[in-house]
Every structure is written in structure tokens, then in C-alpha cells.
Amino acid sequence: MQFMKMSYKGFEFNINPKNFKISMSKSTAKYNTVYDGQICTEKGKGCAVVSGKGYFVGADAAGKAFELVRVFNKKGSDYLFLPNSVPIKMHFTSLDISYSSGNDRVEYSFEFTQECNTKSEEHTVGYTYALENENLFDIASRTGVQIESIVKCNDIGDIFAVKEGEKIWLI
């Protein structure tokens, strides 16, 4: 069985990293109840982070490392393709390269951070503010509130006509 090669912005790793880790998180809030209990609710999902280590070997190891540095220096995000994972739109946020004598082995470590429009949900319970290029479906997904409920309690005729910074009630 042949695994897919890790790739990003047209750069394909000729040898997949020896290990990589996908880290995901959610923010939660705990509230004390009247009867000495607690309620825990999800407030939002954080951006995923992919990190790992690997190496290039052979006569072209230094050249492959140089190509990787060029990809790191390109601005913007793109899809990161990983073995056994779905593609994730990410920013290349960290790269460390270590050359060995002889230029036939170059070790690297990396970090990619997911492009996401999450915003700290530190707001008064009951509303949020629309982020850039969001529609009501995006807000429903980000907040975990049913789209029908959002449409019902907001006076918005078109679910795609939400403006950045607009207060959206979540009842």
C-alpha cells in the first residue's frame, strides 16, 4: 500500500515526515448552578495545528530544504495534504532546518496553523458579532446554534447579507 505524500503549495515531500501531529481544541465555559453543580458548555472551536519532524537525504537534500524555505516564505494559506487525513487550509507558521556536514542529510521541523475565522467567544451570552465574509450558516456553525433559531430571532432578510461586526442574536 502506497501512502500519499505530504504536500503544500505545490511542494511535495519526497519522504513523508517521520512523524506529525494534528492538534485540535475547543473552548468551554463552566458555570456553577444553584445546587452546587456545574454546567459545562462549548463556546467555540480553535484552529487546528499540524506539527512534525522529518529529513531529506541524498545529494539533493540541501536543494530540497531550499525549496521548502521558498514555500515557507510565500504569503497566504493553501491546502495542506497529509497522509491519512483530509486536506486542511493552513498557514505555514514555523520552520526549523538543521544541516549536517556533507550536505547529504537535512533535518527539519515545521508547524502549520489552520486558517479559520474563529473568534474568542468572550461575549455576553445571547449574541455574537459577525466576522469578515461570514453568513448566517457560518455563524451557526461557529456558535453551535441552529440556523433556524438564528433566522427567527434576527431581522435579516437574506442569510448571506450579513455585514462584518453586525450583532447577531443567539437565542
Side-chain angles (χ1 to χ4, degrees), residues 7-12 67 71 74 78-79:
S7 65
Y8 181 76
K9 288 190 178 182
F11 178 85
E12 185 175 279
E67 286 180 52
V71 170
K74 289 181 181 179
D78 201 354
Y79 285 94

Side-chain angles (χ1 to χ4, degrees), residues 1-161:
M1 176 178 187
Q2 184 173 5
F3 288 103
M4 126 186 237
K5 302 258 174 131
M6 183 171 149
S7 65
Y8 181 76
K9 288 190 178 182
F11 178 85
E12 185 175 279
F13 291 73
N14 55 350
I15 300 173
N16 279 331
K18 59 184 176 182
N19 61 53
F20 64 89
K21 176 173 83 170
I22 302 172
S23 302
M24 296 175 269
S25 64
K26 292 181 181 180
S27 63
T28 58
K30 293 180 184 176
Y31 302 98
N32 292 325
T33 64
V34 178
Y35 302 105
D36 291 329
Q38 280 189 335
I39 297 173
C40 181
T41 61
E42 287 185 22
K43 297 184 79 172
K45 186 176 86 168
C47 299
V49 175
V50 175
S51 58
K53 296 178 181 180
Y55 54 87
F56 301 119
V57 293
D60 67 336
K64 212 49 177 165
F66 180 72
E67 286 180 52
L68 186 58
V69 170
R70 287 183 49 213
V71 170
F72 175 77
N73 287 328
K74 289 181 181 179
K75 293 185 178 187
S77 63
D78 201 354
Y79 285 94
L80 175 65
F81 295 89
L82 297 166
N84 299 323
S85 180
V86 297
I88 308 168
K89 194 160 190 182
M90 306 199 94
H91 293 275
F92 199 163
T93 52
S94 174
L95 176 65
D96 292 316
I97 295 182
S98 176
Y99 295 90
S100 65
S101 62
N103 268 353
D104 62 346
R105 181 178 169 104
V106 178
E107 295 182 10
Y108 61 84
S109 62
F110 60 84
E111 183 176 278
F112 292 87
T113 303
Q114 182 181 19
E115 177 180 291
C116 54
N117 290 328
T118 60
K119 180 178 173 182
S120 174
E121 292 297 318
E122 298 294 323
H123 58 72
T124 304
V125 176
Y127 66 86
T128 189
Y129 292 97
L131 303 176
E132 182 179 7
N133 297 323
E134 268 192 328
N135 60 49
L136 291 184
F137 287 109
D138 299 324
I139 294 169
S141 175
R142 175 169 56 89
T143 61
V145 175
Q146 295 284 331
I147 184 74
E148 294 84 5
S149 175
I150 294 175
V151 169
K152 187 186 288 186
C153 62
N154 289 278
D155 188 24
I156 299 173
D158 181 0
I159 59 175
F160 297 102

